[in-house]
Amino acid sequence: MRLCDLARRASDVKITGFAIDHRKVVDGNVFGAFRGAAHNGEDYIEGAIENGAIGVIARPEARVEGAEHIASEDPRRDFAEAAGRFYAPYPDHLVAVTGTNGKTSSVEMTRQLWRMMGHRSASIGTLGVTTADDQVTTGLTSPDIVTFLNNLAGMRRMGISHVAFEASSHGLHQHRVSGIPVKAAAFTNFSRDHLDYHETMEDYFEAKMQLFEQLLADDGIAVVWTDDAQSDTVIARAKARGVRIMTVGSRGETIRLGERRATPLGQAVSLTHDGETHLLKLPLIGAYQAANVLVAAGLALATGAEWGKLFAAMGRLSPVRGRLERAVITSRGAPVYVDYAHTPDALEAAIAALKPHVEGRLITLFGAGGDRDTGKRAPMGEVAAGHSDIVIVTDDNPRSEDAATIRKAILQGAPRAIEVAGRRQAIAHALSLAGAGDIVLLAGKGHEQGQIVGDQTLPFDDVEVARECAA
């Protein structure tokens, strides 16, 4: 790619790459200068040019001297599209999942299904970049656009043909997952989250819809979970776009979910596909796990999977890290589960998943993240108090907020809950209360291996701490 491909004036100068961090610019790069909530990339244009940038994609009002100014009313979008052309080609089958909950499990299960059917596959999201051989943490559900495109191009060179990635509302709104041919896009569900960023539920939903209305290829397929209040809206807007639609769930036309029955180690699920009903013995517990499996199965079908092989693979799925992951069984026989649930809906779903397996009491431990949507704290307390036998409120990632203030807000919804500030101490207390027949749920942090307090990230893994406390 040459500069003339981006700028209107003739130029044979060859582009060597793209960058959004001026410190990473090298000779021949195109720099993206974006205005963000915390930083204004336009402040770093001069530094980027000093480091060798030959072009800058920025607003028309931005000041650019010494390099080609590629003016754009939407610099993030145009940068992503240009970078997308530069770093191509990518794996042949790219699919994306959006929704409030279930994205991580759905993309990872899609990867597992593909792998069991013989495809070299990967997933990208909250857990990082996962392949059959490795897992690399990126720190973000949707990494920056240059990292994202580089990763995809690298996977193509490694021989990976199938990739499933999470399309978070932030990533969609900021065009961090743009510039690539998405063959199938899935919707899981929609509920309150990220209102610290999007301000309104309408804005949050519209960010999600960008996946279907802007990123999904014209000949792509929309896979929609039917059992959410917003599912019909998603289906209608996908139809308006003119793409093919596959639906899964209790009203699904592609895969219809029938009766579910809890088993000691999972669940037995009735599924109907192409007019035939099958009984799936799923080694995962909970209704939302079944939902994630069906979304993943829909994406596999959308990318050419044969039903017989797919159905067999569904019965061999492994739990996803930090998603109703059984960490340990205490010496008194109480299983301890770790889950990433950090919204009212997700917490309710995790509790509902465990309830059929509880013979005694359900002990739920959770907190809430600082510097995030404050309005969900009391509702999370209400959900825990309404559906658990014992509730312990503790710290999550307080970040820059006062941890006691966060706990106080949660306790407004759960006034009878036990308050234990330190998360390790709280986990130890929860396990000490659990006896035979009880189940302990440690919610909120899931796969995370650090606790953010102030400007420090302290080592902390719920699974490891639970095992230590149970020893």
Side-chain angles (χ1 to χ4, degrees):
M1 178 183 283
R2 299 185 182 278
L3 195 56
C4 60
D5 297 323
L6 301 181
R8 292 181 179 177
R9 64 181 69 174
S11 174
D12 287 332
V13 178
K14 187 176 181 180
I15 295 172
T16 61
F18 287 71
I20 59 172
D21 184 337
H22 74 288
R23 296 166 298 183
K24 296 181 180 180
V25 170
V26 297
D27 287 343
N29 278 188
V30 171
F31 178 63
F34 314 139
R35 305 183 83 184
H39 302 284
N40 183 359
E42 294 174 5
D43 295 338
Y44 304 98
I45 291 175
E46 183 177 351
I49 295 172
E50 289 177 355
N51 288 339
I54 58 173
V56 177
I57 299 178
R59 297 181 309 134
E61 300 86 352
R63 183 178 178 181
V64 180
E65 297 179 356
E68 189 70 39
H69 183 188
I70 304 159
S72 169
E73 296 295 341
D74 192 343
R76 289 182 183 274
R77 180 197 63 198
D78 290 344
F79 181 91
E81 291 180 357
R85 296 195 301 273
F86 177 84
Y87 290 105
Y90 306 110
D92 292 333
H93 300 279
L94 298 178
V95 305
V97 179
T98 197
T100 302
N101 303 306
K103 297 186 297 296
T104 300
S105 293
S106 296
V107 300
E108 171 54 15
M109 289 175 181
T110 303
R111 183 196 68 81
Q112 289 186 36
L113 292 173
W114 280 333
R115 178 182 56 80
M116 286 185 277
M117 289 182 289
H119 303 297
R120 293 202 65 186
S121 56
S123 63
I124 303 175
T126 304
L127 297 180
V129 178
T130 305
T131 66
D133 305 314
D134 197 11
Q135 184 177 89
V136 179
T137 301
T138 62
L140 290 171
T141 299
S142 303
D144 71 84
I145 183 63
V146 177
T147 299
F148 178 66
L149 295 174
N150 259 316
N151 283 339
L152 288 177
M155 290 175 188
R156 168 72 178 238
R157 292 191 293 271
M158 292 168 56
I160 290 174
S161 58
H162 292 62
V163 178
F165 65 90
E166 295 182 51
S168 68
S169 59
H170 293 72
L172 289 163
H173 184 254
Q174 297 172 7
H175 295 284
R176 286 192 262 134
V177 289
S178 299
I180 56 170
V182 176
K183 288 200 169 184
F187 170 80
T188 58
N189 50 61
F190 183 76
S191 62
R192 178 173 184 143
D193 200 9
H194 301 306
L195 293 190
D196 54 304
Y197 178 85
H198 295 288
E199 296 186 359
T200 69
M201 291 292 284
E202 291 75 16
D203 290 342
Y204 179 34
F205 185 71
E206 288 305 316
K208 298 287 187 189
M209 289 302 96
Q210 286 182 228
L211 175 60
F212 300 94
E213 296 178 339
Q214 298 180 25
L215 271 68
L216 183 60
D218 291 339
D219 60 349
I221 299 174
V223 176
V224 182
W225 169 253
T226 61
D227 299 4
D228 186 82
Q230 290 286 3
S231 297
D232 288 342
T233 301
V234 177
I235 291 170
R237 291 177 65 164
K239 283 183 177 178
R241 169 78 193 283
V243 298
R244 182 181 166 196
I245 297 170
M246 289 184 170
T247 56
V248 299
S250 65
R251 296 185 295 125
E253 295 181 359
T254 306
I255 307 176
R256 185 171 296 257
L257 173 65
E259 182 181 356
R260 288 191 316 106
R261 176 175 53 83
T263 63
L265 297 177
Q267 55 190 306
V269 183
S270 174
L271 302 178
T272 302
H273 173 72
D274 273 355
E276 295 187 2
T277 300
H278 312 263
L279 184 64
L280 173 66
K281 295 181 179 179
L282 190 63
L284 306 167
I285 65 173
Y288 84 83
Q289 293 278 48
N292 295 334
V293 170
L294 293 197
V295 169
L299 288 171
L301 288 172
T303 49
E306 186 271 319
W307 172 254
K309 293 180 180 178
L310 174 61
F311 184 79
M314 291 162 68
R316 303 197 303 273
L317 283 166
S318 299
V320 177
R321 178 80 164 93
R323 273 65 180 172
L324 280 182
E325 177 183 0
R326 192 172 69 189
V328 69
I329 298 177
T330 69
S331 59
R332 289 193 283 179
V336 181
Y337 287 87
V338 170
D339 194 81
Y340 192 51
H342 57 274
T343 67
D345 273 18
L347 186 59
E348 185 172 5
I351 291 171
L354 294 173
K355 274 285 192 178
H357 301 270
V358 177
E359 297 175 357
R361 302 169 300 173
L362 178 62
I363 302 169
T364 299
L365 176 151
F366 73 104
D371 302 332
R372 298 294 185 268
D373 179 11
T374 60
K376 67 181 181 181
R377 294 171 184 175
M380 288 178 69
E382 292 171 3
V383 165
H387 301 284
S388 308
D389 299 291
I390 298 175
V391 177
I392 299 175
V393 174
T394 187
D395 295 339
D396 191 286
N397 294 316
R399 298 184 177 88
S400 70
E401 283 194 65
D402 175 60
T405 301
I406 298 174
R407 297 194 303 273
K408 183 178 179 180
I410 298 171
L411 289 167
Q412 289 179 358
R416 296 184 181 179
I418 301 168
E419 181 181 6
V420 181
R423 194 171 181 92
R424 176 179 287 273
Q425 290 75 21
I427 291 174
H429 186 58
L431 270 59
S432 74
L433 297 176
D438 296 342
I439 289 180
V440 178
L441 169 62
L442 310 179
K445 290 181 60 61
H447 64 282
E448 293 179 356
Q449 297 183 17
Q451 185 175 32
I452 306 171
V453 181
D455 59 359
Q456 291 185 306
T457 300
L458 308 175
F460 201 98
D461 183 331
D462 276 2
V463 171
E464 291 301 321
V465 171
R467 291 171 180 170
E468 292 167 6
C469 292

